[in-house]
Structures are given as C-alpha cells and as structure tokens.
C-alpha cells in the first residue's frame, strides 16, 4: 500500500460501547493539547528544562517506534520509501502537526538515510508559546522524538531528527532533517543524550537529596531569621490572614505586656486603644485591597497601661498570589511626634513673625509661583487688591487687577523666569472709592531650595509723589506763564485805554454834531463805536484776569466753619442768579472741624467751579455739592451731570488758556486762577469723572489744627 492511500477511518475504530479506541488494532486514547501543555509546564517547573526535554523526547520516540510496529503489519508497504512516508501521514492523523515531508534519500546497501521536511501548526510550539513565551531553541521535542523513533524502527538504524527552525522561537514554520545518528555534526552530538534511556528513579533520588539539603538550609536560615527578629529592639509581629497574631518578638512582648501563651487569642486590633480598634481592623482590609505595603498611626498601651503613639508598617505575605498573612513593624513615634510638634510650632512662629513684618511694611509684597499664580501677598497688597490674602492664593493676577496692570506683571514674570533682567515699572490699581493708586514695582527671582521657584515683587505707592511732581510742574508752568501774562497785560492795557477813550470821544462828538438827525449812516457809525467800546472793555477784563493770575497774592488765612460759610455763600449765589435754572443738592457732614483758609479767595474758587458746572450742563440739571472730613483735611466736592472730561483733558484743565468752551465763551484762565489760589491758601484742587456720568472737582482745605503756628489770622 502506498503512503498516500492510508486513510484515517481505516486505521482507527471508535468503540464507545466499550469505552475504547483502536488504532491499527491496538488500544489508543485521545488527549487534549492543553493537557499535554500542562504536563510540559509541570515537568519544566519540577525537574528542569533539560530533564523535561529528555522525558518528552523519549515519550515521542516511544510513540513513533510503536506506531511503526503497528503500521508495518497493517500497511504492507510496497517499498521502504512508502513505509518511511507513512510516519508523517499517521502524525497528521493524530492532530500533532501538518507535515510536508521531502523525498527520502535511501542507500540501503550502505545503511545511509536522510530526509527533510516541514511542520506547520505544531501543537507543541503553540503550547510552549502559550505557557512560556518565545524560546531561544526549538521546542518540538515530542515531534522530533516521534520522527526519530518511527524512522529508527522502519530503517532498522539509529536515526535522529534534528529541528533547525521552529515556530516556538518565532520562525514562520518548523523545519527538520532526519539523519543517521552517526552523521550528526559535532555541535549536534549533544542531541543524542535526549534519546538515551532515562533512569527516573535515580533522578528522583538526586532531586530528593537536593530538596532535603535545601530544606535543612532553609530551616537553618529561618532559625537565624527568627533569632534576629526576636532580638531586634523594634517591635516586630506576624499575623494570620484573619488578623490573628502568630508571632510577637521579645521587644514587643515586653513593651506591651503580652506573653507567648496569649498570642493565639489576640488580634492586631486587641493591641490598640479602643478608639483605634475600627481603624486597625479597616487597615488590614485596605492592605488586602491594595496588595501592597502601607502604614497607619495608632495608639497602643504599654505593660503599665500608659498610652504611646505607634506607626504600624504592614506588608502582605503571598502564596500562589493569595494573601496568607501579614508581617509588620510597630515603631514608637513619640520622639518623632514631639520633634514634629516642636518644628511645627517653630515654623508657625517664624511664619507669624514673617507675616507680621510683611504686614507692617507699608509697601505691597507679592510672590508668583512657577506657573505665574499668586503664592503670597502681604496685608498691604491684599488691601490694594481689595481681597483677603488667603482668597488670592493660587489665582492669576488677571483676576484681581486691571488687564493692563496684570499684563505688565505677567510680562515681567516671563522675563525674570527666562533669566533676563528688568527695570522698575509702574502699574495702576483701581480702588473701591472710585479712585486709583499708582504703584512702582521692583521684582526679582524668588529662590527656594537653591532653585528659582517664582518671582517676588515689591510695589510702592507713588500716587502722592506723582501728584506732587505734577503739582510742582503745574506750579512751574503757571509761574512762567504768569510772568509772561503780566507783561502782556501791561503792554495791552495802555493801547486798550486809548482805543476806549477815543471811541467814547468820537461817540460824544457824533451825538453833538448830528443835531438829533437820525440818518442810517450815522446809526451804523454809532453802533460801530459802541461795539468798539464793548470789545475794549472785554479785552480790559481779560487783561485784569491775566494780572490777577500773575499776581502772587499774600492771602490772610483765618479759621472758617466751612459748612456754615458755604451755606451762606450758596444763598448769595442763588440770589445773584449764578445757580438759576439748576438744582443744587448740598450734603454737609455734621461736626466738621474748622479749616484754615481765606474766605474771599475760597468764595472765588467755589463760584468759579459752580459756574463751570452750570455751563457744562447748559444751565439745566443737578449739581451735587458735598463737604466732608478726610484724613488730610476738609474736602469740598462739586459734581455735575454734564458730558464729563474727555480723555486727555484732565491733564490740562488747570493750564492757562486751556478751555473746552466755544470761542468767545471763555478765556481758559478760570481754573488756572483757582489752581493758583489753592496753592496760595495751602490747599489742593483736583478733578475727574464720576461713575454715573459728569465731572467732579475737589477742593482740599487744611484743618486749622493741622498747620503749625496757625492762628486766627496768618499772613
């Protein structure tokens, strides 16, 4: 019979009624591939890789040899070639692998044989990959043993199958060569050891002796370990998985007052004070969930019943990936807690001192962390930002200050963190009263633990300094313009006097010579002369203002009840028609201290400001006049409902000849004169826009008691 005529169904008989299978007339069994994999795993892990390879190779050899015995009587092969090819055929019938045999080379006369081929889908390679992963060497041990046993029986020669490619080490398929054992290359000679009979009993005896020796070593090591643990000064314990105490070393027994006889009746929770029992029980459950070492602080009682703090460090003990117990240390942390308490108190004191120093400093201090968020602000900075210090922490500056100021701080932060230098810069912060504060900021890298952790900045309030600089500049401008105006006024007054005098004389001559005639030409001439006189008087008024502006007045200062004074003057202004058509709302704070000022000059300032407010509203609307006491003196505020002061105007409203009125409606000297007067009477004047619309002007007068040497009259 040819090998390709072999039929699986003709070779095997299934006899379920007798519980047997017959292969070529001899009983056989079906074995799962995973079961063979389990056997392989057990052998490798028990007796080692080399012995496992010998056992499985011998097993395969025996299977192949027996199958050749059976197939010889059943197949009656036509030739030796057909007989040798029957082995791969029966191999495939058994589900071992898909076999692609090559043509056998047979020299029967000299007893030389060779054949090569491939295996695909080897069950053995699949199982090895599943259980152990990719191997460095071929792993189809039973397959090579089978081929070797089958060929040795068929050819009646000592044959060995060598696998030189294997799916188990990552090759695309398994490749093998069957050859005479004597033809093995020197480097393959070691393979012959896998085909020799194996004395399992001797192997087991060797293994048992090794196990016994290792057991004694482990017992000695365990005893040394126990002695070491027993003599440790720290408290060491071992627990059953249920939490029951298995062991307490000598230090723990003495400290806790526990005898060895008590251990089987105690659990970990029995060693802690009552208020920590629940925590200790939950602690073990937490370790079981985490499956890792962890710790917890509890309080235990010593042999005398005194409490002491302990840190339990417990590690789970595993066997076959299952927690079978716990081992741990109980460390007395009394001294550590005392040191921590002392350090905490010291740090608190340092922090309190530092905070007090920062809060006493009038400059505003801030620290930005590495991300540009606020990590610290002192009391002054918190006051300027209008927030509590703790509420600012962790927030970007853009949430607490105007966008332009925040952008300037962020830009400086980026430059500092990038290692660049920087110059002082200015920012503006809005205040709750509608005003603003100008700050000059100096910054530097904030160094912590020898590394740059952020940027620290110190912001100094320069609002008053800037106002003084502006006032000084304004005074200088006014002084120069005053001198100029004085000269101009004197030069113009004389020609104006002549123009006005000649106009009056011409008009008198005209009236006398006309003899009562009413001619159109004469009427036109008369109107022209009247206009010349009016414009000459207007120019005279302007030059008088110029002289008033340029003249440094030596004002007599006296103590004035500002509230009563303004009430009287407002009634006079109303009778004179100054406030006709507008509503004046007056709010005078009661109990105002007296101010030191010049009533006449103060009246001139208030009158001018009321007139400007009325003109800004075109003679209709509401003027609010308020008088209140401040830390710097008595403040008079006049607010209107007009269009307010346009951008760029506020800086120039007190400049001479600057006016927003239409041509012919104002000279631009009124507010300049007010500014000059306030300097003379030791006060200040400022302006701005109201939040609800319109402009405000504020006059600040010094209190009578605030100026040294002040009296009823002061020159």
């Amino acid at each position: 019979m040819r090998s390709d005529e072999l039929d699986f169904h003709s070779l095997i008989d299934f006899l379920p009624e007798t519980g047997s299978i017959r292969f070529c007339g001899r009983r056989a069994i079906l074995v799962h591939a995973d079961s063979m994999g389990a056997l392989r795993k057990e052998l490798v892990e028990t007796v080692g890789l080399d012995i496992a390879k010998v056992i499985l190779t011998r097993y395969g050899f025996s299977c192949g040899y027996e199958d050749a015995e059976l197939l010889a009587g059943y197949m009656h092969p036509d030739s030796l070639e057909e007989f040798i090819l029957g082995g791969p055929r029966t191999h495939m019938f058994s589900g071992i692998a898909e076999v692609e045999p090559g043509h056998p080379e047979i020299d029967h006369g000299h007893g030389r044989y060779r054949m090569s081929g491939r295996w695909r889908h080897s069950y053995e390679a699949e199982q090895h990959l599943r259980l152990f992963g990719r191997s460095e060497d071929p792993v189809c041990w039973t397959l090579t043993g089978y081929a070797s046993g089958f060929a040795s029986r068929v050819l009646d020669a000592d044959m060995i199958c060598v696998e030189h490619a294997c799916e188990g080490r990552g090759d695309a398929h398994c490749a093998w060569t069957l050859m005479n054992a004597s033809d093995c290359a020197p480097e393959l000679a070691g393979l012959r050891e896998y085909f020799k009979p194996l004395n399992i009993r001797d192997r087991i005896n060797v293994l048992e002796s090794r196990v016994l020796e290792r057991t004694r070593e482990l017992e000695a090591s365990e005893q040394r370990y126990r002695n070491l643990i027993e003599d440790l000064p720290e408290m060491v314990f071992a627990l059953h998985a249920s939490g029951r105490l298995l062991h307490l070393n000598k230090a723990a027994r003495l400290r806790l007052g526990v005898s060895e006889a008590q251990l089987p009746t105690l659990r970990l929770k029995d060693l802690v004070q009552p208020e920590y029992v629940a925590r200790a029980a939950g602690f073990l459950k937490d370790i079981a969930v985490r499956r890792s070492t962890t710790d917890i602080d509890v309080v235990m009682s010593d042999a005398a019943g005194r409490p002491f703090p302990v840190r339990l460090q417990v590690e789970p003990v595993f066997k076959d990936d299952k927690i079978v117990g716990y081992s741990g240390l109980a460390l007395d942390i009394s001294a550590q807690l005392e040191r921590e308490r002392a350090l905490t108190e010291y740090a608190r004191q340092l922090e309190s001192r530092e905070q007090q120093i920062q809060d006493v400093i009038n400059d505003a201090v801030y620290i930005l962390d590495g991300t540009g968020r606020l990590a610290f602000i002192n009391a002054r900075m918190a006051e300027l930002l209008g927030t509590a210090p703790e509420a600012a922490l962790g927030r970007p500056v853009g949430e607490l200050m105007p966008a332009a100021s925040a952008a300037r701080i962020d830009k400086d932060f980026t430059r500092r963190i990038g290692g660049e230098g920087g110059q002082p810069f200015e920012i503006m912060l809005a205040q709750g009263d509608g005003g603003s504060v100008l700050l000059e900021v100096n910054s530097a890298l904030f160094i912590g633990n020898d590394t740059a952790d952020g940027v620290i900045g110190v912001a100094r309030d320069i609002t008053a300094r800037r106002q003084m600089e502006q006032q000084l500049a304004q005074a200088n401008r006014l002084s120069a313009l005053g001198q100029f105006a004085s000269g101009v006024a004197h030069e113009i007054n004389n020609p104006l006097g002549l123009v006005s005098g000649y106009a009056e004389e011409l008009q008198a001559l005209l009236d006398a010579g006309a003899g009562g005639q009413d001619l159109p030409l004469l009427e036109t001439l008369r109107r022209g002369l009247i206009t010349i006189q009016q414009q000459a008087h207007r120019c005279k008024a302007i030059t008088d203002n110029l002289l008033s502006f340029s003249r440094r007045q030596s004002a007599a200062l006296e103590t004035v009840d500002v509230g009563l004074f303004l009430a009287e003057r407002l009634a006079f202004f109303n009778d004179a028609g100054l406030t006709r058509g507008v509503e004046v709302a007056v709010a005078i704070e009661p109990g105002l201290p007296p101010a030191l000022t010049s009533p006449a000059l103060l009246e001139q300032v208030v009158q001018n400001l009321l007139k400007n407010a009325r003109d800004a509203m075109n003679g209709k609307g509401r003027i609010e006049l308020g008088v209140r006491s401040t830390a710097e003196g008595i403040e008079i505020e006049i607010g209107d409902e007009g269009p307010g002061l346009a951008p760029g105007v506020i800086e120039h409203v007190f400049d001479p000849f600057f006016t927003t009125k239409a041509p012919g409606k104002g000279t631009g000297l009124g507010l300049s004169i007010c500014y000059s007067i306030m300097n003379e009477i030791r006060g200040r004047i400022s302006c701005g826009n109201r939040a609800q619309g319109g402009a405000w002007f504020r006059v600040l007068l010094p209190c009578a008691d605030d100026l040294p040497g002040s009296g009823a009259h002061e020159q």
Side-chain angles (χ1 to χ4, degrees):
M1 178 185 293
R2 293 170 52 84
S3 60
D4 56 5
E5 294 176 349
L6 285 173
D7 178 60
F8 174 75
H9 297 288
S10 62
L11 294 178
I12 193 164
D13 292 322
F14 292 98
L15 304 172
E17 64 277 1
T18 62
S20 62
I21 300 173
R22 297 285 177 175
F23 179 76
C24 293
R26 183 178 293 181
R27 186 171 183 175
I29 59 172
L30 292 177
V31 178
H32 288 293
D34 286 352
S35 298
M36 292 299 295
L39 175 62
R40 169 183 291 252
K41 185 174 186 296
E42 190 71 22
L43 288 172
V44 170
E45 293 180 351
T46 304
V47 298
L49 186 68
D50 287 339
I51 296 178
K53 183 176 180 180
V54 170
I55 293 173
L56 292 177
T57 303
R58 293 294 302 171
Y59 163 76
F61 187 93
S62 176
C63 291
Y65 200 93
E66 292 295 328
D67 282 356
E69 287 279 358
L70 295 173
L71 200 60
Y74 177 82
M75 184 178 177
H76 302 294
D78 298 335
S79 64
L80 202 58
E81 289 85 348
E82 292 296 334
F83 193 5
I84 197 67
L85 291 173
R89 188 73 172 169
T90 56
H91 229 179
M92 294 176 66
F93 289 163
S94 302
I96 303 297
E98 176 188 348
V99 187
E100 296 179 4
H103 183 74
E105 302 174 11
I106 298 177
D107 183 357
H108 197 59
H110 294 86
R112 315 302 297 174
Y113 310 100
R114 181 177 289 268
M115 183 171 69
S116 298
R118 294 179 179 179
W119 292 318
R120 298 185 187 274
H121 313 302
S122 162
Y123 93 92
E124 203 165 9
E126 291 177 356
Q127 291 296 320
H128 197 93
L129 285 171
R130 179 178 69 86
L131 296 170
F132 303 105
R134 184 174 294 182
S135 172
E136 295 182 359
D137 299 314
V139 298
C140 297
W141 304 327
T142 59
L143 271 70
T144 55
Y146 184 96
S148 302
F150 191 93
S152 296
R153 167 62 182 82
V154 170
L155 300 173
D156 194 21
D158 190 5
M159 304 295 294
I160 287 182
C161 180
V162 177
E163 186 180 22
H164 44 80
C166 184
E167 294 174 359
R169 68 179 188 185
D171 297 324
H173 56 268
C174 301
W176 49 270
T177 299
L178 184 67
M179 67 185 76
N180 293 85
S182 58
D183 291 341
C184 285
E187 62 270 18
L188 300 177
L191 293 174
R192 301 182 66 177
E193 297 296 323
Y194 295 107
F195 297 93
K196 293 180 179 180
L198 182 65
N199 190 331
I200 298 296
R201 181 177 179 180
D202 290 344
R203 292 283 184 174
I204 292 176
N205 289 337
V206 171
L207 288 175
E208 285 181 346
S209 63
R210 290 179 180 176
V211 168
L212 182 59
E213 181 181 355
R214 185 58 178 161
T215 300
R216 290 172 179 169
E217 291 176 355
L218 288 175
E219 288 176 349
S221 176
E222 182 180 1
Q223 187 59 46
R224 288 194 299 271
Y225 170 76
R226 286 182 177 275
N227 293 339
L228 175 64
I229 295 299
E230 186 68 13
D231 295 334
L232 281 176
E234 292 82 9
M235 294 182 288
V236 183
F237 58 88
L239 304 174
H240 187 266
S242 63
R244 179 171 51 84
L245 276 170
L246 297 177
H247 177 70
L248 267 179
N249 72 337
K250 182 179 179 180
R253 294 195 302 273
L254 292 175
R255 183 71 186 274
L256 301 174
V258 175
S259 66
E260 290 190 74
Q262 292 177 284
L263 293 183
T265 64
L266 296 176
R267 296 176 178 271
L268 178 63
K269 63 181 183 179
D270 298 326
L271 302 180
V272 302
Q273 291 198 332
E275 59 268 29
Y276 292 93
V277 169
R279 292 185 62 188
F283 176 57
L284 291 182
K285 293 179 181 178
D286 185 54
I287 297 175
V289 173
R290 293 187 181 184
R291 301 174 66 83
S292 62
T293 303
T294 186
D295 56 58
I296 186 177
D297 291 348
V298 297
V299 176
M300 292 182 171
S301 298
D302 62 14
R306 295 184 297 266
F308 65 99
V310 171
R311 177 162 297 157
L312 298 178
Q313 297 179 347
V314 180
E315 179 181 8
V317 178
F318 294 94
K319 182 178 181 181
D320 296 332
D321 202 37
K322 180 181 178 182
I323 296 179
V324 295
Y326 305 92
S327 61
L329 288 173
L331 303 175
D332 186 341
I333 57 174
S334 302
Q336 177 183 342
L337 292 180
E338 179 59 27
R339 288 194 300 271
E340 291 177 356
R341 187 202 62 75
L343 287 174
T344 300
E345 178 62 22
Y346 181 67
R348 188 195 64 78
Q349 292 176 359
L350 286 179
E351 183 178 358
S352 176
R353 292 194 194 103
E354 180 182 353
Q355 188 64 52
Q356 291 179 40
I357 292 172
Q358 293 289 354
D359 291 344
V360 168
I361 294 174
N362 192 44
D363 291 339
V365 181
Y366 67 85
I367 297 176
L368 300 177
D369 63 18
T371 64
R373 294 177 178 269
L374 286 168
F376 168 81
I377 60 172
N378 70 341
R380 177 57 177 157
M381 178 58 84
E383 177 187 352
L384 292 174
L385 295 177
T387 184
E390 58 274 10
L393 301 184
R395 298 171 65 184
V397 292
E399 295 182 3
L400 300 169
M401 61 179 62
S405 298
R408 188 64 187 86
I409 288 181
D410 288 339
K411 181 179 179 181
D412 175 72
F413 171 81
T414 302
R415 291 171 61 89
R416 292 293 187 185
I417 291 296
E420 301 181 34
Q423 297 296 322
F425 58 93
E426 296 178 0
I427 61 173
M428 186 77 73
L429 297 183
Q431 299 299 287
D433 59 359
S436 59
V437 176
L438 183 65
L439 302 173
E440 182 182 71
V441 181
N442 287 274
S443 66
L445 281 176
F446 182 71
I447 306 299
N449 296 326
D450 297 328
T451 59
D453 289 345
V455 171
I456 182 171
V458 178
R460 175 163 295 176
D461 186 349
I462 60 170
T463 308
R465 187 183 79 187
R466 186 56 50 84
Q467 289 176 347
M468 292 179 63
E469 291 173 353
Q470 292 173 349
Q471 290 171 4
L472 179 61
Q474 179 74 6
N476 291 335
R477 289 198 303 271
L478 292 178
S479 176
L481 286 171
Q483 295 176 8
F484 172 75
S486 176
V488 170
H490 281 292
E491 292 297 326
I492 292 177
N493 268 342
N494 291 331
L496 282 178
L498 291 174
V499 170
S500 179
Y502 277 116
E504 290 179 4
E505 184 178 348
L506 287 174
Q507 186 174 6
L509 292 174
L510 183 63
D511 291 340
Q517 300 182 28
D518 190 13
L519 299 177
L521 184 59
L522 292 176
E523 182 61 28
T524 300
L525 184 58
R526 188 179 289 113
R527 286 198 304 270
L529 290 173
I530 292 173
T531 301
I532 290 174
Q533 290 183 31
Q534 290 175 344
Q535 295 304 315
H537 287 313
R538 183 171 181 270
C539 289
K540 183 66 167 59
I542 292 174
T543 58
D544 288 344
N545 280 338
L546 283 172
L547 289 173
S548 175
F549 166 72
S550 63
R551 188 180 299 116
R552 182 176 180 85
Q553 306 177 54
S554 180
L557 304 183
E558 58 185 82
T559 301
V560 176
D561 184 336
V562 177
L564 180 60
F565 172 79
L566 287 177
E568 294 174 350
R569 291 294 87 195
L570 287 174
F572 171 76
F573 293 154
N574 185 58
D575 294 340
L578 178 64
T579 59
R580 188 173 299 146
V582 299
E583 176 190 356
V584 180
V586 181
I588 299 177
E589 181 182 300
L592 290 172
L596 191 66
T597 186
S598 168
L601 295 179
L602 177 61
E603 178 182 355
Q604 184 179 350
V605 171
V606 173
Q607 181 179 357
N608 198 308
L609 294 179
L610 287 173
K611 181 178 179 297
N612 283 351
R614 183 199 65 190
D615 293 345
M617 300 187 299
N618 296 320
K620 295 180 181 180
R622 175 186 172 93
I623 297 175
E624 295 182 0
L625 188 148
V627 185
R628 53 186 170 269
S629 176
T630 70
E632 297 181 274
I634 308 301
E635 185 178 81
I636 303 171
E637 179 174 327
I638 297 175
D640 61 55
E641 295 179 339
L645 301 172
V649 170
I650 295 178
E651 293 81 359
H652 302 285
V653 292
F654 299 115
D655 291 348
F657 308 112
F658 181 85
T659 181
T660 59
K661 296 180 180 180
K665 299 295 183 180
T667 63
L669 290 172
L671 289 176
S672 297
I673 292 173
C674 291
Y675 190 93
S676 179
I677 288 174
M678 293 310 301
N679 282 338
E680 291 297 328
I681 62 176
R682 306 182 188 181
R684 292 205 306 268
I685 184 171
S686 58
C687 63
N689 286 316
R690 302 201 307 169
Q692 64 270 37
W696 58 260
F697 282 81
R698 293 173 187 157
V699 172
L700 183 67
L701 302 172
C703 291
D705 297 335
D706 291 344
L707 294 176
S710 60
H713 297 277
E714 183 175 333
Q715 300 297 326

